[in-house]
Amino acid sequence: MDDVLRTDLSRTNDIRHVIEADRAHVWHHLTQHKGFETADPRIFVEGKGMRVWDATGREYLDAVSGGVWTVNVGYGRASIADAVRDQLVKLNYFANSAGSTAGARFAEKLIGKMPGMSRVYYSNSGSEANEKVFKMVRQIAHRHHGGRKSKILYRERDYHGTTLGTLAAAGQAQRRAQFGPFPDGFVEVPHCLEYRSQYGAVENYGELAADAIEAVILREGADTVGALCLEPITAGGGVITPPKGYWEKVQDICRRHEVLLHIDEVVCGLGRTGMWFGYQHYGVQPDFVTMAKGVASGYAAISCTVTTERIFELFKDDPADPMSFFRDISTFGGCVAGPAAALENMRIIEDENLLANTQAMGERLLAGLWDLSERHRAVGDVRGKGLFCGVELVQDRATKEPAEERLVQAVVADCMANGVIIGATNRSLPGLNNTLCLSPALIATADDIERIVAAIDGALSRVFQ
């Protein structure tokens, strides 16, 4: 047996062992495992740019940035890996009750992209970043409002995380199902998806959708509502871009009723929409902004809860009181690899002009998806901003009856079989898991966009015959 054959057999045996170890011991996210009794779990072993390779050596074009809109600057960035390695050798961790060089430098750079904001609180996931806001709002209610203004409003179809606290603020019934009971004091407001307007065909849908939020505030009592938590563009609930006039009126409502505005940028943040943050498209000034996924493009775990100085000062009002400051800690918010990776991630976005690329390629992607609607009756609506797009599939365009979930998943599977990874709304809304989701890396080229659109085109032709 020659050396080449011996090496190939060794690699085959190693991968087979990995697959069996995975099957025997790993509990995958959002996955029904019964099928792995007769089929191998998919294991990815390498990534470069927008391509990933699985354990069989098959190559895929990743149009969802790691499955959950995360790898904004693409795979295989040696400079980020080097920055993380150098930081880990110098100082890997100290609890964030003390500071770090990387933490201070990234906070300064981040705040430079967020006019009106001033403070960064580190943790390690989007769920945790959002929980920090909820705790801040509750502590503000206790210390400054006599225990009132503790309610937190959230929007139908939005999603803010997987902890019990953030699931209490989930506007997606299937994400919440079987995990209750949940903490009290979370109240839902209506969605703002104009394609499925609650008010029929109207000229001022955005204003009416915002008015619906004010109606909830008035119903609950403005003196009981502390914060409104919204995604700038709804992600897993259907990639919902806000209608005209919506955000302007939401801002006005929050100011008039002294309701703090929390914008969840876990998906949209760090360039996904073609600006540093999704809310910056709409001229909004939030009190809290949370972010995670794209902050370090998955090269290290990091999330940020960013606040204004006004919010920060509320926790300094009585230094003699040992209960007055924000009594919270995130163990892995002290991992210095996160801000080190985030600094280099941000440098790449700036130096490679990826915001402009995202705008240009996003326009190309949306145009290609709208072209599909001319050829496929199953395309009911196309939505998106930058490289964050969705295609809502329907059974009937006239009635807007949603496409069956099995058919939507068949489109996803067909694209995968043809080497392109796309997503779809999944375990979110009963009967409405019918939107294809696309979030290619900010480095996407025109050729990448054409291949993604072509894969969906072919899949729609084969699935919806």
Side-chain angles (χ1 to χ4, degrees):
M1 183 181 298
D2 61 37
D3 290 342
V4 173
L5 182 56
R6 186 179 296 109
T7 300
D8 288 345
L9 285 174
S10 176
R11 288 174 179 165
T12 299
N13 289 337
D14 286 346
I15 288 296
R16 191 70 244 166
H17 175 78
V18 167
I19 292 170
E20 293 306 326
D22 182 283
R23 191 202 313 274
H25 302 297
V26 177
W27 196 334
H28 291 273
H29 302 174
L30 285 173
T31 300
Q32 169 55 257
H33 279 246
K34 186 67 176 176
F36 294 154
E37 294 178 4
T38 55
D40 288 344
R42 179 173 286 108
I43 295 176
F44 289 111
V45 298
E46 188 176 354
K48 187 69 175 177
M50 279 184 54
R51 272 74 180 164
V52 291
W53 288 264
D54 69 15
T56 70
R58 179 127 191 244
E59 178 183 318
Y60 301 85
L61 179 66
D62 178 7
V64 282
S65 294
V68 286
W69 22 59
T70 297
V71 189
N72 282 12
V73 299
Y75 298 97
R77 291 284 189 172
S79 66
I80 302 182
D82 289 343
V84 170
R85 187 263 178 200
D86 291 347
Q87 180 61 63
L88 291 176
V89 171
K90 189 169 187 178
L91 176 70
N92 66 308
Y93 177 87
F94 200 91
N96 211 39
S97 50
S100 69
T101 301
R105 287 180 58 220
F106 180 64
E108 180 182 45
K109 191 147 181 98
L110 179 63
I111 292 302
K113 311 297 184 190
M114 305 178 73
M117 311 304 287
S118 70
R119 297 285 174 165
V120 180
Y121 191 99
Y122 289 117
S123 47
N124 76 308
S125 73
S127 299
E128 194 177 0
N130 287 326
E131 283 257 356
K132 304 307 180 191
V133 175
F134 298 167
K135 292 173 75 174
M136 289 175 185
V137 170
R138 291 287 170 85
Q139 190 171 340
I140 289 169
H142 282 286
R143 291 197 57 77
H144 299 281
H145 300 292
R148 299 182 70 80
K149 291 191 83 68
S150 64
K151 291 178 184 176
I152 295 167
L153 308 187
Y154 64 92
R155 186 171 56 197
E156 181 186 4
R157 284 179 169 255
D158 279 9
Y159 176 76
H160 303 292
T162 190
T163 62
L164 284 177
T166 52
L167 281 177
Q172 299 179 7
Q174 290 184 325
R175 293 283 183 176
R176 294 164 57 96
Q178 302 177 20
F179 293 133
F182 297 105
D184 293 332
F186 293 85
V187 182
E188 186 174 88
V189 302
H191 71 76
C192 65
L193 174 54
E194 190 165 7
Y195 179 69
R196 297 194 175 277
S197 170
Q198 306 96 315
Y199 318 110
V202 293
E203 292 288 329
N204 61 336
Y205 177 80
E207 294 178 9
L208 292 175
D211 286 341
I213 295 175
E214 185 167 30
V216 173
I217 293 172
L218 295 174
R219 184 193 73 204
E220 297 293 321
D223 63 335
T224 73
V225 177
L228 171 65
C229 176
L230 302 174
E231 293 182 272
I233 297 169
T234 298
V239 190
I240 302 168
T241 49
K244 181 180 178 181
Y246 181 77
W247 271 113
E248 297 90 335
K249 193 154 192 182
V250 167
Q251 178 90 84
D252 175 65
I253 290 166
C254 287
R255 286 176 174 165
R256 283 192 287 105
H257 295 292
E258 298 183 345
V259 172
L260 298 173
L261 180 57
H262 166 198
I263 299 184
D264 176 353
E265 292 269 357
V266 169
V267 173
C268 292
L270 276 294
R272 170 59 52 201
T273 66
M275 296 188 75
W276 284 110
F277 295 94
Y279 75 87
Q280 293 171 340
H281 291 280
Y282 309 110
V284 185
Q285 182 55 59
D287 299 287
F288 306 94
V289 179
T290 49
M291 64 198 73
K293 298 175 186 293
V295 175
S297 289
Y299 285 85
I302 180 175
S303 65
C304 304
T305 301
V306 181
T307 76
T308 63
E309 196 69 9
R310 182 173 74 92
I311 295 295
F312 180 73
E313 288 292 326
L314 292 173
F315 295 87
K316 294 167 58 181
D317 63 306
D318 186 0
D321 181 354
M323 300 293 282
S324 66
F325 60 93
F326 187 46
R327 292 164 294 99
D328 177 273
I329 191 168
S330 168
T331 297
F332 293 112
C335 286
V336 194
L343 273 165
E344 180 60 13
N345 185 73
M346 186 172 278
R347 183 200 67 77
I348 290 169
I349 294 172
E350 290 182 311
D351 287 1
E352 297 184 11
N353 205 19
L354 294 185
L355 296 184
N357 188 67
T358 298
Q359 292 169 16
M361 292 302 104
E363 290 174 4
R364 181 180 287 265
L365 178 56
L366 280 170
L369 297 174
W370 277 116
D371 284 347
L372 294 184
S373 72
E374 298 295 318
R375 298 196 295 277
H376 300 283
R377 298 287 300 169
V379 176
D381 194 25
V382 174
R383 303 184 284 268
K385 180 76 76 173
L387 286 170
F388 182 29
C389 300
V391 181
E392 181 161 353
L393 302 182
V394 294
Q395 294 286 98
D396 185 294
R397 276 191 180 178
T399 66
K400 300 182 182 179
E401 179 187 353
E404 294 180 49
E405 187 171 346
R406 65 178 182 84
L407 297 177
V408 179
Q409 289 299 324
V411 171
V412 174
D414 187 282
C415 288
M416 175 72 82
N418 284 281
V420 176
I421 305 173
I422 69 169
T425 46
N426 177 28
R427 298 288 65 76
S428 298
L429 301 154
L432 287 167
N433 293 311
N434 64 317
T435 301
L436 303 178
C437 300
L438 302 167
S439 55
L442 314 189
I443 62 172
T445 67
D447 287 345
D448 295 327
I449 299 303
E450 288 177 14
R451 185 176 171 196
I452 293 165
V453 172
I456 298 172
D457 188 9
L460 290 172
S461 295
R462 287 181 283 273
V463 173
F464 292 90
Q465 296 180 0

